Amino acid sequence: MDSAEQQDKLTGSGGSAQAVLFGRFQFTAQDGSEVSISNRRARALLAMLCLAPDEPIDRDHLSKLLWPGRFEAQARASLRQCLLDLGKVLTSADCNLLDVSRSRISLKPETVRTDLSELHVCLADGDCREATDRLNSIGAKSLLDQMNFGEAFEGWLAGHRYQAEQRLQTAIATALSELEKRDNLTEHASLLNAWSVRSPVSQTISDRKHGKARIAVLPFISIANPDDHGFFADGVVDELITSLGQVPQLLVAGRTSSFQFKDSDKTPSEIADALNVSHLLEGSVHRQEEQVRVAVSLVDADSGFESWAYSYDGSLDDMFAARAEVVEAVTNGLSDALKLREHETKPRKLTSNREAYGLYLQGRALTIRAIGEGVLPTAIELLEKALAVDPEFAECWTALAEAEINMTVYTPCLDRLERCEKAAGYAKKALSLSPQQAHARIVLAFYAWTQNNIVGALDLAFEAYRLEPNNPDVLNRVGSFLLYCGRSRDALPYIEASIDQDPVNGRNYAILSGVYLNLGNVDAAIEAGQRMVDLGFPSLWLAAALAVSGDNDAAVETYQLTKKLMNTVIFPPAGSAPLDPDAMDAYWLMAAKGLWSGEEQDRKNYCMVLEMLHTTLHDPYDTTITIPAIWMGQAQMVFKTLGQQITTANFFSFMSLWTDAEPINQVRLHPDFMDFAERIGMVAAWEKYGWPDLPVGRSDVN
């Protein structure tokens, strides 16, 4: 194809109409005017033809797909009327597209261009910059989003989506190979990053399970001065996890799960089973005054034998200055021991100041711990001291931003919005010093949610994913954000990938339980909720799953158990005094019954309590109001809380909006829901990243 022909295809000068297939279907006449097709089945018929332009559709089959459950004669008559309606609309738009016979319907050749076909043209002609721009614009949108006419139609659409995505993946792979042959690394990286947003994470998980060595870096034993507290040893482990995570053939267990086994008496085999890894990297840091010895060994989980070892001896100053070289030596030695291909790793931009580094390690350890009396204020104080010593310490700015976010989520503070804004400022400072940081983007994404900029939050999350696709925390955030927007199917592979790599992090299982519940897999939701409880986290989502399963008594009993975690994992609302034991028992019993007993009077009683809390609490948007309001289908309370102010503490409430069960679905099905979604920026996110899996009140003509 010459350049003139390509230009015709891309600009429309070839005289064909155009259809948008990614996201919500749109159709444009050859003069550029949008064609409005009010009959939703007529719109679906045209969309199906555009998705498979070379595939005529049998009329009988089409009538069964679009009118399931109707008698055969009725369905055929409905199809005839639908074709008449569509024909009139297209004729008025001067679009002569359809080839209709007594048995089949098809598109006339080369009468319609689509965003999918244009992308293929760019790739085939080697215009990878244009292809990259188009992929970035398409993002994660599904083909023919928001079309649902029953199980048979869903099956047809799923099959054609899969075929289209596979063809696109082949075209992308060919283009990437050509760029690699031409040594065009810049365009190769740009195209690969753009494609990573929609390339199936489930395939990545398969690659992880079958094509990568799985390893966990366990907390090193610290034999040190009493005032050291093992922070230097933890710092070495942290840098090793980061470095090894960049090796393409390695899958490294997440820090949260690995550090669950600090000072553990479990055998290597038991730890490896829990972390789902084949190898363990163990070590020790022996510090005596200013001398230090670091010893590292690789242990085969099955045999328990050491297969590789490394040691470093020197002064603490030498070790501090040479730690990047030590980490690189361990990474390369480990790669050789596991017979991995050559690779390149990029060390994090830390600090050359030993005092700042020590303060940073202590502050970051407390930031990750998050929960406990005075933990986060102490973390913030330590990180601020580190930055006073070295204000160019980019990673420390990110850690300080995370500490402030954790303050707004895990403590009953009264200045959530102010702290969140401060965190965003710290994250921006970190990025100005080190632009490749994924976690700083996640902090900015949190802030974007509070500003009703949900599409911006998703943009930032996917940027973080492109930078660190094997980071379990980043995977979790991408999946969570999609879940909050009602994209449960898209969220699932990201959450599964995160858990696959970080299997002992209890918070992940709340998200997984929510995903499964939204997808209608109640048994899996119960299993994930129970796993969360077994790891010491609240039983809220397990109770929700039990209630949806129909076991209301078990749901009430399970929800009450949450009171045992008050002031340890969850906290009373900001500004309120803790309840005495008797009052706490009474409150949790009333809440449990109101939510899950299934009795209308219990529900009304708890709704009245939520109204009272909304008018009396210092934070009228607290999660003690927003989550129960969603679970009870109390739409107006949801609209005047989340609709007025999203905070970093309450925005995870959105994950529960998408359970298709009574009374939870009353919020989503409420006539004011779309106004609410528009106001908070959710609709803008749907327009870019795809509409929810479930209908949200858009009225269409049948």
Side-chain angles (χ1 to χ4, degrees), residues 449 452 454 480-486 518 626-627 630 638 641-643 645-647 650-659 673 676-677 680 682:
W449 273 90
N452 293 340
I454 298 175
S480 299
F481 288 179
L482 289 169
L483 174 63
Y484 301 162
C485 292
N518 292 348
T626 58
I627 296 178
I630 291 173
V638 174
T641 51
L642 293 173
Q645 182 60 68
I646 298 173
T647 70
N650 70 22
F651 82 118
F652 73 94
S653 308
F654 285 103
M655 66 184 275
S656 297
L657 275 174
W658 310 102
T659 300
F673 181 78
F676 158 74
I680 65 173
M682 190 77 78

Side-chain angles (χ1 to χ4, degrees), residues 209-252:
K209 291 179 178 177
H210 303 294
K212 292 191 176 186
R214 304 176 66 97
I215 188 171
V217 185
L218 297 182
F220 284 11
I221 297 170
S222 179
I223 306 169
N225 293 331
D227 60 348
D228 181 84
H229 302 296
F231 292 120
F232 186 79
D234 290 350
V236 174
V237 171
D238 210 38
E239 292 191 46
L240 276 172
I241 289 174
T242 299
S243 178
L244 292 171
Q246 298 177 53
V247 179
Q249 300 86 40
L250 276 182
L251 186 69
V252 184

Side-chain angles (χ1 to χ4, degrees), residues 17-18 25-38 43 46 85-95 97:
Q18 182 159 3
F25 179 71
Q26 299 174 50
F27 190 79
T28 306
Q30 62 188 43
D31 63 0
S33 61
E34 184 173 352
V35 179
S36 177
I37 307 172
S38 59
R43 188 164 65 248
L46 181 58
D85 292 344
L86 180 58
K88 290 177 182 177
V89 171
L90 294 177
T91 298
S92 65
D94 197 24
C95 295
L97 314 173

Side-chain angles (χ1 to χ4, degrees), residues 286-519:
H286 190 166
R287 178 182 167 190
Q288 188 171 14
E289 296 181 350
E290 290 300 301
Q291 293 299 115
V292 64
R293 183 172 197 271
V294 178
V296 183
S297 61
L298 179 68
V299 177
D300 183 278
D302 290 333
S303 66
F305 291 126
E306 178 183 295
S307 58
W308 174 83
Y310 169 86
S311 63
Y312 171 88
D313 290 277
S315 71
L316 191 58
D317 282 336
D318 290 341
M319 172 62 194
F320 179 77
R323 69 189 187 281
E325 287 80 359
V326 171
V327 169
E328 183 179 3
V330 172
T331 302
N332 291 335
L334 192 61
S335 298
D336 291 340
L338 294 174
K339 298 180 173 58
L340 305 180
R341 296 191 303 271
E342 291 186 7
H343 56 271
E344 180 183 358
T345 59
K346 298 177 181 178
R348 289 186 296 173
K349 185 177 181 180
L350 293 171
T351 180
S352 59
N353 187 286
R354 180 174 151 187
E355 180 187 0
Y357 187 63
L359 291 166
Y360 159 78
L361 291 176
Q362 296 176 64
R364 188 165 184 272
L366 293 176
T367 298
I368 293 169
R369 177 180 160 191
I371 295 170
E373 184 68 30
V375 167
L376 288 169
T378 303
I380 290 171
E381 182 181 351
L382 290 166
L383 294 169
E384 287 176 339
K385 287 181 179 178
L387 289 167
V389 175
D390 182 2
E392 303 298 302
F393 191 172
E395 289 276 351
C396 195
W397 283 108
T398 298
L400 181 57
E402 290 182 313
E404 289 287 3
I405 289 293
N406 284 351
M407 277 289 291
T408 69
V409 175
Y410 297 115
T411 71
C413 62
L414 291 170
D415 54 352
R416 285 191 174 111
L417 296 180
E418 292 82 358
R419 285 186 178 277
C420 190
E421 189 169 1
K422 285 170 61 177
Y426 298 150
K428 290 176 182 177
K429 176 66 174 178
L431 289 172
S432 71
L433 295 167
S434 179
Q436 300 304 306
Q437 290 200 54
H439 275 99
R441 286 172 168 80
I442 296 299
V443 170
L444 290 174
F446 273 62
Y447 178 67
W449 273 90
T450 69
Q451 303 302 299
N452 293 340
N453 182 13
I454 298 175
V455 68
L458 281 164
D459 289 345
L460 287 160
F462 275 112
E463 283 180 30
Y465 173 67
R466 283 192 287 267
L467 290 168
E468 297 186 24
N470 293 317
N471 184 320
D473 294 330
V474 171
L475 286 163
N476 180 278
R477 289 305 170 197
V478 173
S480 299
F481 288 179
L482 289 169
L483 174 63
Y484 301 162
C485 292
R487 304 288 301 182
S488 301
R489 289 188 183 89
D490 290 344
L492 180 59
Y494 290 96
I495 300 302
E496 288 180 330
S498 177
I499 290 176
D500 180 60
Q501 198 170 340
D502 204 0
V504 196
N505 186 344
R507 294 185 183 93
N508 291 345
Y509 290 93
I511 306 297
L512 183 64
S513 183
V515 172
Y516 280 136
L517 199 57
N518 292 348
L519 294 175

Side-chain angles (χ1 to χ4, degrees), residues 617-647:
L617 288 181
H618 288 82
D619 180 3
Y621 317 113
D622 194 85
T623 53
T624 55
I625 303 171
T626 58
I627 296 178
I630 291 173
W631 280 337
M632 290 194 298
Q634 197 177 0
Q636 292 301 336
M637 179 59 74
V638 174
F639 300 157
K640 65 183 181 183
T641 51
L642 293 173
Q644 293 297 319
Q645 182 60 68
I646 298 173
T647 70

Side-chain angles (χ1 to χ4, degrees), residues 60-79:
D60 287 342
H61 182 51
L62 187 58
S63 64
K64 292 173 183 177
L65 292 177
L66 294 178
W67 290 272
R70 292 192 184 181
F71 291 118
E72 188 174 324
Q74 289 179 319
R76 286 200 300 266
S78 296
L79 176 57

